[in-house]
Amino acid sequence: IKGAIKNNDGFIDPEGIDENEQVQHFLSWSQNNKVKFLASELRIYSVEHFLGGTVDFVCEIEGNVWIGDLKTSSNLYPENLWQCGGYDILLTEMGLYQPIKGYVLLNLRKDGSFLEKRSVLLEEHKKAFISCLNIYRLKQQIENQIL
């Protein structure tokens, strides 16, 4: 992705072929969807929420901006979308890549199969992320006996 951004205006080389089946699925997905990558492994943060993270990629598909996350687990889970909701909160606070259309999850499975899921339920995923963050922080306080 970084090479595409640096050398090809954000587009994966259409001649790109890789022997690794997982990588080839990703290359094919990006070419078939005419994905323009805007950022890769972008470090982001929030002063308001006192947290930071690294978003796998931000891309443009059909003129809309999407937050992307790559997974190599056996499946995709709702928590993956909540994570993207967190990235959305941080990107919004930083004033980057607005407006966001949605989130795209790419599951590059170890067995060689591939799964893509998209969601445009942004507010719901952001709320879920904040709820998880609050639960995590309360749990930390209890475990550290900071009551």
Side-chain angles (χ1 to χ4, degrees):
I1 296 173
K2 288 185 183 296
I5 294 169
K6 182 178 178 182
N7 302 321
N8 201 27
D9 196 32
F11 294 97
I12 298 290
D13 181 357
E15 303 299 318
I17 296 175
D18 197 283
E19 291 181 19
N20 181 302
E21 195 171 11
Q22 292 170 300
V23 174
Q24 188 57 50
H25 282 303
F26 171 76
L27 295 174
S28 297
W29 171 83
S30 66
Q31 292 161 2
N32 293 340
N33 289 279
K34 298 179 178 86
V35 177
K36 178 178 182 177
F37 292 98
L38 306 173
S40 172
E41 298 177 338
L42 179 65
R43 295 178 191 272
I44 54 178
Y45 63 90
S46 168
V47 173
E48 178 183 346
H49 297 286
F50 193 69
L51 79 135
T54 304
V55 63
D56 285 348
F57 65 89
V58 179
C59 69
E60 193 175 284
I61 303 171
E62 297 179 355
N64 295 304
V65 177
W66 293 79
I67 295 171
D69 202 34
L70 298 168
K71 298 295 182 191
T72 57
S73 58
S74 61
N75 208 349
L76 296 174
Y77 304 96
E79 295 87 344
N80 303 139
L81 291 166
W82 305 343
Q83 179 182 1
C84 288
Y87 294 147
D88 193 349
I89 291 167
L90 277 57
L91 287 166
T92 299
E93 183 177 325
M94 294 178 71
L96 299 174
Y97 304 109
Q98 302 299 306
I100 304 292
K101 170 72 175 182
Y103 313 141
V104 59
L105 304 175
L106 302 178
N107 191 196
L108 310 172
R109 297 174 175 166
K110 293 180 177 147
D111 68 2
S113 61
F114 176 81
L115 178 64
E116 173 195 4
K117 291 211 177 192
R118 295 186 195 189
S119 179
V120 293
L121 302 175
L122 307 185
E123 293 308 312
E124 290 85 343
H125 297 308
K126 289 191 275 188
K127 286 177 187 174
F129 174 82
I130 292 297
S131 295
C132 291
L133 180 63
N134 289 334
I135 291 168
Y136 170 78
R137 288 189 171 156
L138 178 58
K139 186 176 178 234
Q140 292 297 108
Q141 287 178 331
I142 292 168
E143 287 174 357
N144 293 318
Q145 299 180 7
I146 304 171
L147 308 170

